[in-house]
Amino acid sequence: MLQDLLEGAGRSIVFGLIGIGLMAVGYVLIDLLTPGKLRDLIWVERNPNASLLLAANQLGIAAIVFTAIFTTYDSFGQGLASTLLFGLVGIAIMGLAFLVLDWMTPGKLGEVICTDDFHGGAVVSAASHFGAALIVCACIA
């Protein structure tokens, strides 16, 4: 029993590190898609639009990682590989969703996200990000 507990704890640590790494990649994606430095926009300027978009991104990635782990293969290695693969695919699809929404709307979506006043476009963009993540979750299950 102790062996099973230790093995489960070890797997949790590894999957946790993969999840945190994927969330960091998602952060970098949002930083690249929006003008300026995301850390300044959120933590210095307290920008609600950038905060909402990043929150949707991070929750979407967490949902993908959760689904990949929950439906994981019996093999630990296969489970890790599928979690990493689906996480990266999800991040790419979320980035594509941002670009498509940017193409479909007036102006530049990144600039809308960076405005100081709350903007409805940020809600739509956040929903697009999270929706894209849910699509990937459905593909996993």
Side-chain angles (χ1 to χ4, degrees):
M1 182 171 112
L2 180 60
Q3 178 66 26
D4 290 341
L5 287 173
L6 292 175
E7 186 176 312
R11 289 180 180 200
S12 295
I13 291 168
V14 174
F15 275 115
L17 292 173
I18 294 289
I20 290 168
L22 287 168
M23 291 171 76
V25 172
Y27 179 98
V28 170
L29 173 72
I30 299 300
D31 198 23
L32 291 173
L33 292 173
T34 55
K37 285 300 214 185
L38 191 58
R39 63 175 284 155
D40 292 338
L41 282 170
I42 294 174
W43 283 275
V44 175
E45 299 171 26
R46 298 179 181 187
N47 182 296
N49 303 312
S51 299
L52 179 61
L53 179 59
L54 181 61
N57 174 273
Q58 297 293 280
L59 288 171
I61 293 168
I64 292 168
V65 170
F66 169 83
T67 306
I69 293 169
F70 192 73
T71 62
T72 195
Y73 297 92
D74 289 334
S75 163
F76 180 59
Q78 284 180 312
L80 280 178
S82 71
T83 300
L84 185 59
L85 176 65
F86 281 113
L88 292 172
V89 166
I91 291 167
I93 290 174
M94 285 187 272
L96 180 61
F98 183 94
L99 294 174
V100 168
L101 187 61
D102 184 34
W103 173 72
M104 295 175 65
T105 56
K108 296 301 293 171
L109 186 55
E111 292 172 6
V112 167
I113 297 298
C114 294
T115 59
D116 291 335
D117 296 325
F118 181 73
H119 193 288
V123 177
V124 175
S125 183
S128 176
H129 256 68
F130 195 71
L134 291 179
I135 291 167
V136 174
C137 289
C139 292
I140 296 169

